[in-house]
């Protein structure tokens, strides 16, 4: 049901596809690095499984392969970036770099982005701050699949938040999570296996709890982190809303139910409230608060204390980022397992551009 | 079981108590406004119900009534504030004001605070940014009551996050929530009524799910938002951890299990890793991103679109801040219901200082 493919082969193939879409060599290299970092880190739903989706959006004229990405407004610690409908995979690194450069001078940098597209995994962008001794943050809005508490309608995306924090001897703290109970990728796994989802992940078209993983096709919705009101779904709704507003209302992108769909067969909203999809990035120099070495030594203490917390029997307390870092090392060494339908998809993309896969 | 007491009476009494603790008139006025704002907004666990706790901490020498609150480090967009062991109720407004002044010049302002105490409700502080056309943020760490995913040990506080966002004609968006499934105040209500808690709120001392609201006294713990791994508790754990690190590791306060307890009968950790409790505040000028009027008009669209989302039968989709704002108006007009044990508590505080209540 799956094929093991080396990271480098996936990287090179993806690079070639972006070149054939008309991207510059620099953009193709960057976009392929960002995209395939998802496969490396074990977030398979956001990696090469999405490559054919990007190609179809480009064919539909919704992605500009030669964008003029630029700052349209700025202050010492902020900027708004217009992605010119480019690949989010290249728009996001540009914007994150602006945040980092602002932070180098003003202590922190905050960049809201409009007119972009899906940017891969949020964690990749947040982690760019680490080797500058900065805390990095990244978030994005996304196609509406999530119903706020008490709503039948899908109003928000899975709107992820990533925060990366440097340590000294310990590996960094890297949180990267959708603001829903379960990421859409987890639901896709259950759909493929035709297995029930736990209560609290999805609701049906009337807003009733459901365990049917195919419910989204019937007008159902993903649920905000918390699952239901009694378990704090209003808090997950708040988080998704904050990501939406920082990413899209601050920048001038489409927000809420107006966020453009990732799939090219769904139409864009006829009455857009902004341009494209939105992201939000932040960088904070740790020495804008206390000496970097002192901060990082305390992060070591924080991490080792939490990692050694008395665990529930048979378990271990993890530090955010631990599983993905281990997965990355494993897959760099042993290759990436790619599911048969994704391999088929990639072969079709290859054929389209006269490439080998 | 409860007495209706006017807001102004609660404000004045609280003011007098702080004066008798040795606070300046200015500090007493501010601290009473912050504390009683919790009662007004319906977050009864954080208002006058805590007054006797502050008094006991002051008696134990853990609160300094005449603090020299000051900036100890700064850059154009950041600062670290030392609260000098003062009431969090006065340290937090000082620090939030620093964030707002930084934002006025640099676009955004970010302030981490050490050597503080419990600061009341996070929402009060975040909302201070609103009439400056800024987005306000506030968070704090707190006494360890929460077990990370797979931990038996309590390692984090309920670590709330508040975000306040201005609109134009619509009332502002104000999210203010603990990063646990349920706030500790909700558990206290069940304890008083001796009613079971839903699964997902708490675990027993072995880390097994429990519905016993008294489990915390037996070595149990509150659970991070999500409740269990299957429902995303690792995401709630990430959120609580981020609040802890921004509030305490950035500033030099005590973090994780070292965070000082709110109750004076529990000892301080023998091996502190910092000073007092920590907070984190942020302010972002909306016109550091796009013209304020344009932003606020889009917030109106956001709010009215979400409020009119098709609801589940018999329900209504709420905007964060709606219930608290309505409660505030109701209680200003009709008085605040104060539970009998809290009235008793306040009478004891009154007797201690030779005051009437």
């Amino acid at each position: 049901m799956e094929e093991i493919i080396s990271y480098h082969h996936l990287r090179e193939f993806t690079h070639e596809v972006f070149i054939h879409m008309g991207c510059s060599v620099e953009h193709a290299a960057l976009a392929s690095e960002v995209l395939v970092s998802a496969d490396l880190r074990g977030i398979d739903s956001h990696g090469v499984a999405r490559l054919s989706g990007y190609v179809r959006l480009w064919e539909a004229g919704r992605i500009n392969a030669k964008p003029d990405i630029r700052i349209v407004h700025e202050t010492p610690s902020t900027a708004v970036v217009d992605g010119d409908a480019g690949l989010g995979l290249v728009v996001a690194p540009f914007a994150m770099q602006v945040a980092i450069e602002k932070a180098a001078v003003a202590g922190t940098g905050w960049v809201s982005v409009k007119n972009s597209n899906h940017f891969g995994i949020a964690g990749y962008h947040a982690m760019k701050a680490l080797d500058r001794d900065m805390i990095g943050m990244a978030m994005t809005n996304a196609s509406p699949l999530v119903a706020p508490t008490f709503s039948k309608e899908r109003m928000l995306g899975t709107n992820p938040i990533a925060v990366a924090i440097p340590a000294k001897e310990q590996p960094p703290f890297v949180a990267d999570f959708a603001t829903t109970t379960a990421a859409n990728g987890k639901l896709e796994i259950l759909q493929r296996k035709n297995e029930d989802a736990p209560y609290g992940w999805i609701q049906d078209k009337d807003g009733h709890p459901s365990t049917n993983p195919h419910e989204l096709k019937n007008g159902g919705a993903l649920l905000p982190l918390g699952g239901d009101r009694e378990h704090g779904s209003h808090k997950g709704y708040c988080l998704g809303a904050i990501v939406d507003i920082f990413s899209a209302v601050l920048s001038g992108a489409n927000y809420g139910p107006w966020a453009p769909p990732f799939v090219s067969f769904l139409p864009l909203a006829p009455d857009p409230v902004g341009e494209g999809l939105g992201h939000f990035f932040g960088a904070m120099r740790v020495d804008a608060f206390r000496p970097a070495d002192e901060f990082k030594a305390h992060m070591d203490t924080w991490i080792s204390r939490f990692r050694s917390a008395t665990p529930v029997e048979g378990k271990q307390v993890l530090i955010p980022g631990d599983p993905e870092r281990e997965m990355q090392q494993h897959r760099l060494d042993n290759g990436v397992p790619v599911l048969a339908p994704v391999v088929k998809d990639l072969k079709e993309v290859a054929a389209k551009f006269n490439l080998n896969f």
Side-chain angles (χ1 to χ4, degrees), chain A residues 121-346:
Chain A
I121 51 170
Y124 174 92
H125 307 296
M127 289 172 73
K128 280 289 158 187
L130 292 173
D131 61 9
R132 298 285 294 265
D133 279 354
M134 294 180 186
I135 293 173
M137 276 175 263
M139 48 187 89
T140 186
N141 74 348
S143 325
L145 294 175
V146 182
T149 307
F150 301 145
S151 171
K152 282 196 218 177
E153 259 186 284
R154 301 172 185 175
M155 302 290 286
L156 291 164
T158 54
N159 296 7
I161 299 173
V163 178
I165 306 175
K168 198 170 171 178
E169 309 292 336
Q170 294 282 349
F173 172 109
V174 182
D176 182 3
F177 54 91
T179 53
T180 45
T181 312
N184 200 22
K186 289 201 179 171
L187 202 65
E188 287 168 3
I189 293 169
L190 297 180
Q191 287 164 356
R192 255 180 250 121
K193 297 185 183 171
N194 232 353
E195 285 178 7
D196 277 359
Y199 274 111
W201 287 25
I202 39 178
Q203 68 181 24
D204 68 15
K205 66 179 169 39
D206 298 316
H208 299 138
S210 169
T211 60
N212 177 1
H214 303 286
E215 208 66 87
L216 262 66
K217 286 174 198 153
N218 310 328
L222 286 169
L223 292 172
L225 179 58
D228 60 27
R229 180 65 179 77
E230 189 172 72
H231 294 88
S233 68
H234 53 300
K235 303 177 182 192
Y237 160 38
C238 282
L239 287 167
I242 292 163
V243 172
D244 192 43
I245 294 166
F246 284 15
S247 300
V249 186
L250 271 181
S251 66
N254 290 290
Y255 42 82
W258 287 279
F262 180 72
V263 287
S264 60
F265 60 84
L266 286 180
L268 296 172
D271 55 346
V273 291
E275 296 171 84
L277 214 64
H279 317 309
F280 187 76
F281 301 97
M284 300 198 286
R285 247 170 55 209
V286 298
D287 72 359
F289 295 91
R290 68 193 295 192
D293 216 56
E294 204 177 285
F295 174 86
K296 292 194 290 180
H298 276 285
M299 276 308 296
D300 279 0
T301 306
W302 194 101
I303 289 169
S304 55
R305 181 65 186 88
F306 275 70
R307 197 176 274 133
S308 65
T310 315
V312 173
E313 208 184 332
K315 298 288 186 182
Q316 198 201 329
V317 179
L318 301 177
I319 303 302
D322 278 356
E324 294 83 0
R325 192 181 58 255
E326 284 162 23
M327 181 65 85
Q328 173 158 339
Q329 195 52 57
H330 180 81
R331 289 188 168 182
L332 271 175
D333 295 344
N334 302 287
V336 178
V338 182
L339 288 171
V342 176
V343 173
K344 182 167 167 280
D345 220 34
L346 294 172

Side-chain angles (χ1 to χ4, degrees), chain A residues 68-75 77-84 91 94-95 98-99 102 109-115 245-253 275 277-281:
Chain A
D68 174 22
I69 307 166
R70 64 196 206 284
I71 295 173
V72 292
H73 185 73
E74 62 186 318
T75 72
S77 74
T78 68
V80 170
V81 163
D82 181 336
D84 195 22
V91 174
F94 176 96
V98 173
K102 294 269 176 196
W110 306 88
V111 177
S112 192
V113 178
K114 67 176 174 179
N115 210 356
I245 294 166
F246 284 15
S247 300
V249 186
L250 271 181
S251 66
E275 296 171 84
L277 214 64
H279 317 309
F280 187 76
F281 301 97

Side-chain angles (χ1 to χ4, degrees), chain A residues 26-45:
Chain A
E26 195 198 350
H27 277 183
L30 183 57
S32 60
E33 178 179 318
V34 176
L35 187 74
V36 186
S37 75
D39 297 290
L40 268 192
R41 292 177 70 77
I43 307 162
D44 300 351
S45 54

